[in-house]
Amino acid sequence: MTAGRILARARDKGEFSGAAWAYGTSAGPVGRDTLGTLRWDGAPVGDDTLWDLASLTKPIVGLAVMALVETGELTLDDTVVSHLPGYAGTDKASVTVFELLTHTSRIPGRQPLYRRCPTREDLLDALIRLPLRERPGVEYSSQGFMILGLVAESAAGVPLDQLVRERVTTPLGMDGTRFLLPEHDRARAAATEDCPWRGRIVQGTVHDENAEVLGGVAGHAGMFGTLDDLARLGRALCRGGDGVIAPRTLAVMTGTRTGGRALAWQGHEPHLSSGGDLLTASAYGHNGFTGTSLWVDPDLDFYAVLLTNRVHPSRASDGIARIRRTFHNAAVTRALA
């Protein structure tokens, strides 16, 4: 079954209203298409559709962080307090950039801070006061990436959205990928959840509630992007970074594995990975909660982008897990045929 047919069947089952996908090699795309609508009662998905990338924001921010490492503005052993003096005397003062990137900081993840923090200032204060886990280990932590974004801003001396634009998206020509969509662009974004907290269907503003409270710009979520932009990023990574970061820096970023985690990326694990069953041990990628993903396999010279709005109108379904796996199996088979 083709990748497109897999996604068409998933839409028929109500898993998402729309999808866009591309896969290929460093030489260019092998497969690319779109299907469905921006919302179940909306306009068709198009080439210019904007997708809420959710946690796929994390590795894009991670690339900006590694660019700062290359220029000496950061090191992986820098501590939080060395860039954020407000953390002095807290249990997170000695947490390092490396630990934030690899989700080994012991900062608890999946914390719905927005429920008790109505303002950005309230949420940032709650982050400072959030107790560390007692035992070391890997725990996926969006809260850690919120702090990483603040560290990166401090090191670079510019806001996070400007940093990502200058160090990643502009050099790669990803002109449609950004934080904070202008109001006139929101109608061409794929809708996400009918959100009980907001009391409406979210379209064109960030789905992640914590990122919403933070103003839409955060280290863990908030970016929107187009299919062609994400495919451009996939090809750049197949080419060793394409000038955003050096090949040796990308090798450190993606080859250093701690409990299956690379620096801002998830390593590929057979029989467990959303990247499917056919990628090699060198593969790395990341998912977004809204139904997005990017996977790259440098040994196979392969990338795959999958963009859906699987949380529309509800996050209740978990069907995306198998859809991702079967999609990637079909895509890599076709790309390398």
Side-chain angles (χ1 to χ4, degrees):
M1 191 182 302
T2 66
R5 184 60 185 147
I6 289 167
L7 296 176
R9 285 190 173 186
R11 186 183 190 273
D12 289 345
K13 293 178 180 178
E15 295 291 347
F16 43 75
S17 75
W21 65 97
Y23 54 88
T25 70
S26 58
V30 174
R32 178 193 179 283
D33 211 342
T34 64
L35 63 79
T37 52
L38 301 181
R39 48 198 292 167
W40 284 108
D41 58 351
V45 171
D47 290 344
D48 64 346
T49 294
L50 292 155
W51 302 87
D52 184 331
L53 301 183
S55 285
L56 194 47
T57 298
K58 290 182 175 74
I60 299 175
V61 169
L63 286 166
V65 168
M66 296 306 290
L68 294 175
V69 171
E70 286 189 327
T71 58
E73 294 164 272
L74 271 180
T75 79
L76 295 178
D77 288 330
D78 281 3
T79 60
V80 168
V81 74
S82 66
H83 294 280
L84 303 176
Y87 279 79
T90 73
D91 57 359
K92 299 168 200 67
S94 61
V95 169
T96 66
V97 170
F98 178 88
E99 291 169 331
L100 294 172
L101 285 166
T102 56
H103 299 277
T104 56
S105 66
R106 294 192 292 137
I107 297 170
R110 298 178 172 87
Q111 301 294 306
L113 300 178
Y114 69 93
R115 292 179 181 169
R116 56 185 173 89
C117 299
T119 69
R120 173 181 172 85
E121 291 71 25
D122 292 334
L123 198 147
L124 293 178
D125 183 61
L127 273 180
I128 292 175
R129 293 184 287 104
L130 192 64
L132 293 183
R133 301 293 191 197
E134 292 185 4
R135 295 183 178 181
V138 176
E139 179 181 353
Y140 183 77
S141 178
S142 286
Q143 281 60 43
F145 265 75
M146 294 177 202
I147 296 172
L148 180 65
L150 300 173
V151 169
E153 285 186 327
S154 176
V158 298
L160 183 63
D161 53 345
Q162 180 180 340
L163 172 65
V164 171
R165 183 172 65 251
E166 292 177 350
R167 303 294 180 108
V168 182
T169 59
T170 296
L172 288 178
M174 297 170 63
D175 298 330
T177 298
R178 59 174 295 163
F179 292 97
L180 298 174
L181 291 184
E183 190 167 352
H184 61 79
D185 283 337
R186 294 176 186 173
R188 60 186 177 93
T192 54
E193 191 171 17
D194 188 355
C195 176
W197 178 62
R198 296 174 177 95
R200 59 179 172 84
I201 291 177
V202 179
Q203 183 174 12
T205 58
V206 62
H207 172 261
D208 183 276
E209 297 93 341
N210 286 327
E212 171 84 355
V213 173
L214 289 171
V217 180
H220 72 295
M223 296 195 76
F224 288 78
T226 64
L227 174 63
D228 288 342
D229 277 2
L230 272 293
R232 190 172 286 113
L233 175 59
R235 291 195 301 274
L237 294 170
C238 283
R239 295 168 180 161
D242 229 11
V244 170
I245 57 175
R248 63 184 177 277
T249 307
L250 183 61
V252 169
M253 185 184 191
T254 62
T256 305
R257 306 288 172 95
T258 304
R261 288 279 170 188
L263 276 63
W265 296 99
Q266 173 66 52
H268 179 68
E269 299 180 39
H271 313 303
L272 294 173
S273 172
S274 67
D277 307 296
L278 305 178
L279 302 183
T280 73
S282 71
Y284 57 91
H286 212 289
N287 298 333
F289 185 74
T290 49
T292 61
S293 64
L294 169 64
W295 276 90
V296 177
D297 191 321
D299 283 356
L300 298 179
D301 185 25
F302 169 78
Y303 72 88
V305 177
L306 176 59
L307 304 172
T308 78
N309 59 343
R310 71 98 188 169
V311 295
H312 176 63
S314 167
R315 66 180 70 188
S317 174
D318 61 359
I320 193 65
R322 187 173 189 278
I323 293 164
R324 283 172 167 148
R325 293 175 60 80
T326 56
F327 165 80
H328 287 103
N329 286 348
V332 71
T333 299
R334 172 68 182 88
L336 303 180

